[in-house]
Amino acid sequence: MVALVAMVFLGRLWVPGAPGDAVVLTSAEAAGVWEDGHGGSLVLAGDGTFSASSACGDYFDPRSRASSGFGLASVKTGTGTWDLGSVSTIGGGKPQSTLRIAFNPDGVSGSYEATGTTVAPMLWAYIGDPDDGERCILTKAAVSGAHGASRSEPGADVPVSVSSVSARVP
């Protein structure tokens, strides 16, 4: 009984953090197709625009002041603009890129932290209250000619094949 109580208590104290190490991405490394493993995708074009199709995230609506987990859905479809910045992690750790997106025309926004490696990067965010431990994890789709479904990136006339493995982790 004591072990069961301890497991429940410790389970409530431990909240999953970042999946992987902090990483800094260039705009060119960030551009491309990102997938969440549940059918959602975020396509970042090199010109600073994006398209999202049921992409998971922690979104904020400036008009209603609602956010994901608090009256706003944690998946969104639409288009808008994106930018990339780098910040130091808490405690002066490794620098990390932050990807910010803003949907047109409603101004709903979100941000993701970059983790993993430049070869296998991930974008992630807590959804709603971080204490709940629900995360959105987007992985960069691998461009290849042999596997995956064919997709076109915005602003490109050449379709690319993509494949990825990722998950939204509760």
Side-chain angles (χ1 to χ4, degrees), residues 28-35 120-123 138-142 163-165:
E29 291 167 332
V33 179
W34 296 82
E35 297 178 329
M122 292 179 275
L123 297 174
L138 300 168
T139 58
K140 182 99 181 255
S163 63
S164 83
V165 178

Side-chain angles (χ1 to χ4, degrees), residues 87-150:
V87 297
S88 291
T89 58
I90 296 174
K94 292 174 67 174
Q96 181 173 41
S97 293
T98 300
L99 175 80
R100 296 175 296 261
I101 62 173
F103 286 87
N104 294 327
D106 59 12
V108 170
S109 63
S111 66
Y112 303 89
E113 301 299 321
T115 59
T117 66
T118 55
V119 174
M122 292 179 275
L123 297 174
W124 79 282
Y126 284 114
I127 297 175
D129 186 344
D131 289 338
D132 292 340
E134 186 178 356
R135 301 178 297 174
C136 163
I137 299 173
L138 300 168
T139 58
K140 182 99 181 255
V143 176
S144 70
H147 303 288
S150 178

Side-chain angles (χ1 to χ4, degrees), residues 1 5 8 11 13 20-21 24-25 29 55 62 66 79 83-84 90 108 111 145-146 149 156-157:
M1 180 66 163
V5 170
V8 169
L13 291 178
D21 293 330
V24 174
L25 299 174
E29 291 167 332
T79 60
D83 68 12
L84 193 61
I90 296 174
V108 170
S111 66
D157 295 328

